[in-house]
Amino acid sequence: MPRKTEIKDYIRTIVDFPHEGIMFRDVTTLFADPRGFRMAIDQLLHPYAGVRFDKVVGLEARGFILGGAVAHQLSAGFVPIRKKGKLPGAVISEEYQLEYGEAVVEIHDDAIEAGEKVLLVDDLLATGGTAEAGIKLVERLGGQIIGCAFVIDLPELGGRKRLEAMDMDVHALCA
Ligand code: PRP
Ligand code: ADE
């Protein structure tokens, strides 16, 4: 195995998961490697040096792992956006389309205060449906999204264009 030097060297692709035709980018191999995980967190933070954030919002499920570490580094709070029915308190919801299906995501209705500066974090940007739903939830609570940070961008699926059309600043570590 050649020496791993870049983030993408730590990510494996599983063919036909969870459905035939999907090339699933598996970041568990990145997270499991001490050097790879640190590199990912450092690179996610890189464009935001000197920027103050109130909250990091992580998208279920792999956005929790990244977002928690990023929030710690930024001394910001962490807020989860979860799939329908998982959060215990009062929530607001958004429906969206996935690369492979449909879903609803939710946020606690008191998780972000109006005017708070937010960094949205997830492992992967595909169609952008999940991120767009997350952005809408944060904005409905009055949060101001300063950036959207991903480990992987799959540009052929259009997510980056979709978020940029919403005037979002998109940061991704590899394609
Ligand atoms: C994956 C990924 C993103 C989303 C990206 O999550 O972690 O959240 O898909 O796809 P999109 O840009 O087309 O919306 P998944 O829905 O597999 O959920 P999980 O992390 O809970 O397994
Ligand atoms: N979410 C949507 N598409 C995906 C892919 N190809 N790999 C991992 N997660 C995904």
Side-chain angles (χ1 to χ4, degrees):
M1 167 72 80
R3 187 173 149 73
K4 296 181 172 78
T5 54
E6 296 174 39
I7 293 288
K8 67 173 193 293
D9 299 336
Y10 293 92
I11 300 166
R12 68 181 166 191
T13 298
I14 309 280
V15 179
D16 292 338
F17 181 89
H19 302 295
E20 210 179 318
I22 301 288
M23 303 275 283
F24 191 86
R25 302 308 201 284
D26 178 19
V27 291
T28 63
T29 42
L30 171 70
F31 293 174
D33 187 286
R35 195 166 164 271
F37 189 55
R38 175 170 293 279
M39 202 191 297
I41 300 304
D42 288 349
Q43 290 188 21
L44 284 171
L45 285 161
H46 193 255
Y48 311 110
V51 182
R52 187 187 60 79
F53 289 94
D54 299 297
K55 301 276 167 65
V56 173
V57 168
L59 299 170
E60 185 170 352
R62 293 170 291 274
F64 295 172
I65 296 158
L66 295 163
V70 166
H72 176 74
Q73 284 300 111
L74 290 171
S75 297
F78 176 79
V79 173
I81 287 185
R82 297 214 61 180
K83 306 277 165 62
K84 186 180 172 63
K86 297 288 187 182
L87 288 170
V91 296
I92 59 168
S93 310
E94 282 285 337
E95 240 183 80
Y96 65 106
Q97 302 282 323
L98 275 175
E99 187 185 355
Y100 38 80
E102 297 180 347
V104 174
V105 280
E106 298 180 331
I107 192 170
H108 276 139
D109 67 2
D110 60 355
I112 290 168
E113 288 175 32
E116 283 191 321
K117 293 192 184 335
V118 172
L119 178 62
L120 190 101
V121 175
D122 203 358
D123 66 322
L124 180 137
L125 180 62
T127 66
T130 310
E132 181 176 337
I135 291 163
K136 286 181 179 165
L137 289 174
V138 170
E139 290 187 338
R140 281 169 62 191
L141 296 179
Q144 186 193 351
I145 301 195
I146 305 295
C148 302
F150 304 89
V151 172
I152 306 161
D153 174 21
L154 302 180
E156 66 280 10
L157 292 171
R160 176 184 283 270
K161 284 201 176 118
R162 185 168 172 175
L163 300 195
E164 286 176 349
M166 298 170 77
D167 277 335
M168 289 293 136
D169 176 68
V170 177
H171 169 50
L173 310 188
C174 61

